[in-house]
Amino acid sequence: MTIEAPGTTAYLESLVDVATGELDRRIFSDEEIFDLEMKHIFGRAWLFLCHETQIPKKGDFFEAPMGKDNVLVVRQRDRSIKALLNTCTHRGNAVCRAEEGNVRNFMCTYHGWTFGLDGELVGVPGMSDFYRDELDRSKHPLRKVAQLDTYKGFVFATMDPQAPPLQEFLGRTGRIAIDLLAERGDIEARPGVQKFTLNCNWKFTADNAFDYYHPQITHISAQAVGMIPSADVNDTGGAKTDEGKALGVQRLPTDLDTLVALGEYGHAISGPSLDSMLRTLPPEMHELVTWRRNPGPLAALGPVGSRFAGHPHLFPTAWFTMDAQISLRVPRSAGVTEVWWFSFKDRNESPEEQKAQLGRQIHSFGPAGFLEQEDGENWSQSTAQTRGGASRDIPQLLKMGLGRGKIIHEDGVARIEAPVNEHAQLWTYLSWLQWVKGTDWDELRSATTPGDYI
Ligand code: FES
Ligand SMILES: [Fe+2]
């Protein structure tokens, strides 16, 4: 690849070559590119903050990241939701140190300025003695996000007043990504969010959601201990050991037909089709991978949406898993990413099934997740090798299925049906390039609207 001079649009364009399926490694380690990502992606996109069931009562709050900003998502007295920047308007201190909880107001621990649930400045120590009643409190509320909206209980916000409405940003593919979780039943967030830090660039965590090439090798340890079945017992699927069976884990679908959806602004869904996955699994595991418990969900998902069994990913960083979890990848620097795991349950499921699902959720992903330990080491090592003066000149390859990504348009979804491929990863970087260049909203939408081929 020929790389143009840094600091220009031509430089950014020279780092992503969709035609050859090659990426320059600098995009994973360059701090200036990271700053552009913060400004043009995380400063503009609608970002997932939390689920409404995490803040059911007035005064409930949850602290969520928006790029390098932190916002307090707060249930108001009138039941509406606001998201306030967690920074005091006096001299910047965080007004809340807790990650979630219930409050009547937020008092800054520096000088004691106090803000109401709606962010209004309601208390200033020494207002008459020190300020001589000359401070206009109405001019210094906590700042709010530019726009906040919800979709089926999932709360999103954007810092950009010009951003299109949430529904338009999500598009059909983004809405299906959420529906695959929202329509599983009467869902509720389980208490607490698991959080841990990886020394990796956030994009490795994002593109891996679509990678069905790695499990057979990366997760061979999980196979060896019987947590997931190994390839040599794949005729019947199912786990090899009692422990694996108890976890309800499934055969790794590396040899399945995949169904890929590409959506506007970079959203995508990729992985095995439901029919393909069900073909390979024993009947007792079908319930685990299908949400067709009643006709309602099927209608909401539509003829294409109801066929997905892969991984939905909302650009830039929210992965909705098969087993009712959301993984939010929070970039802290070019080389450091926090991974947050939100886990959900269906209120109508039996206590036994809820418990079994919790076991699967904890043991698969998160800090105690076997699979994520294996993935995380790859991401950290891959990131480290983007820094070497010689190593970084070797391009990253996304050539699997290149030139074979024929797109079929149906029911508002642009889909590709093919063996395991890297179409969704390529779509992610094609879209990433448009975002990071600072492309305006209209152009961004048209540049990330799927055509006939990728
Ligand atoms: S910084 Fe918050 S009261 Fe001074
Ligand atoms: Fe993995």
Side-chain angles (χ1 to χ4, degrees), residues 263-317:
E264 296 84 5
Y265 303 113
H267 312 308
I269 306 172
S270 184
S273 67
L274 182 61
D275 288 345
S276 174
M277 187 176 262
L278 292 181
R279 262 203 321 272
T280 65
L281 292 175
E284 65 269 21
M285 293 190 64
H286 287 195
E287 183 80 352
L288 189 67
V289 295
T290 183
W291 38 86
R292 299 189 208 186
R293 300 201 174 110
N294 61 59
L298 196 56
L301 289 162
V304 181
S306 57
R307 293 181 52 217
F308 286 104
H311 291 165
H313 190 266
L314 296 182
F315 193 89
T317 55

Side-chain angles (χ1 to χ4, degrees), residues 87-95 107-115 125:
T87 179
C88 183
T89 49
H90 178 220
R91 291 240 282 282
N93 188 26
V95 295
M107 191 198 80
C108 178
T109 55
Y110 200 165
H111 311 92
W113 281 27
T114 300
F115 302 87

Side-chain angles (χ1 to χ4, degrees), residues 208 214 219 375:
N208 185 81
H214 79 285
H219 300 306
D375 289 324

Side-chain angles (χ1 to χ4, degrees), residues 1 5 7 47 51 58 65 133 158 181 188-190 218 239 271 291 297 304 316 321 342 356 373 396 398 403 436 448:
M1 301 176 78
L47 301 170
H51 192 256
K58 65 184 178 190
D133 288 319
T158 170
L181 171 55
E188 174 184 82
R190 296 181 187 272
T218 294
W291 38 86
V304 181
T321 76
F342 298 73
Q373 304 305 314
Q396 303 283 110
L398 291 173
V436 85
T448 58

Side-chain angles (χ1 to χ4, degrees), residues 130-210:
F130 305 149
Y131 280 104
R132 298 175 188 153
D133 288 319
E134 289 169 356
L135 183 76
D136 184 352
R137 288 192 313 206
S138 70
K139 289 208 166 79
H140 305 287
L142 295 180
R143 299 297 152 81
K144 297 182 184 63
V145 298
Q147 301 185 60
L148 181 144
D149 202 356
T150 64
Y151 177 75
K152 296 192 179 180
F154 296 86
V155 183
F156 290 79
T158 170
M159 293 296 186
D160 186 354
Q162 308 301 325
L166 175 62
Q167 291 260 359
E168 186 191 322
F169 174 79
L170 293 172
R172 185 82 173 109
T173 297
R175 291 196 297 274
I176 288 173
I178 298 173
D179 290 345
L180 287 166
L181 171 55
E183 298 294 341
R184 292 175 87 101
D186 184 10
I187 64 159
E188 174 184 82
R190 296 181 187 272
V193 175
Q194 295 192 82
K195 302 174 181 177
F196 66 103
T197 303
L198 288 172
N199 291 322
C200 73
N201 183 267
W202 66 274
K203 295 187 289 301
F204 280 114
T205 67
D207 78 42
N208 185 81
F210 305 126

Side-chain angles (χ1 to χ4, degrees), residues 422-434:
E422 292 172 342
H423 298 311
Q425 290 99 312
L426 204 56
W427 186 249
T428 300
Y429 289 102
L430 177 156
S431 305
W432 173 87
L433 175 61
Q434 299 304 322

